[in-house]
Amino acid sequence: MTHVAPLGGTAVQDHVALAEIELCGELIIAASAAEERLSLESIDEVLRVAEERAAGAGRGAPGARRPHGR
């Protein structure tokens, strides 16, 4: 059975979830291209952690994040 979205544009988009899915895809691509395990620094680079911290600092956010794997 195929589900079709109703006409009229009632589809809901979760932009945060879409951004997270995109980042996960980029991380999977980077991991599959790497010869060894990705370093934490490499993971941060793929996930654009420095950019997010800089953007958060501009908004007054503390910029803290959870450590990898926790």
Side-chain angles (χ1 to χ4, degrees):
M1 180 172 165
T2 303
H3 294 280
V4 178
L7 295 176
T10 59
V12 176
Q13 290 188 1
D14 184 338
H15 297 285
V16 173
L18 292 174
E20 288 179 357
I21 291 167
E22 182 179 340
L23 287 174
C24 286
E26 291 176 18
L27 191 55
I28 291 167
I29 291 168
S32 66
E35 292 182 18
E36 296 181 4
R37 294 180 79 168
L38 293 177
S39 67
L40 295 179
E41 292 79 18
S42 296
I43 293 170
D44 284 351
E45 184 177 325
V46 171
L47 298 178
R48 293 174 251 178
V49 171
E51 293 174 25
E52 285 298 314
R53 284 186 179 157
R59 292 187 302 259
R65 65 182 180 88
R66 293 186 342 210
H68 294 284
R70 295 179 201 234

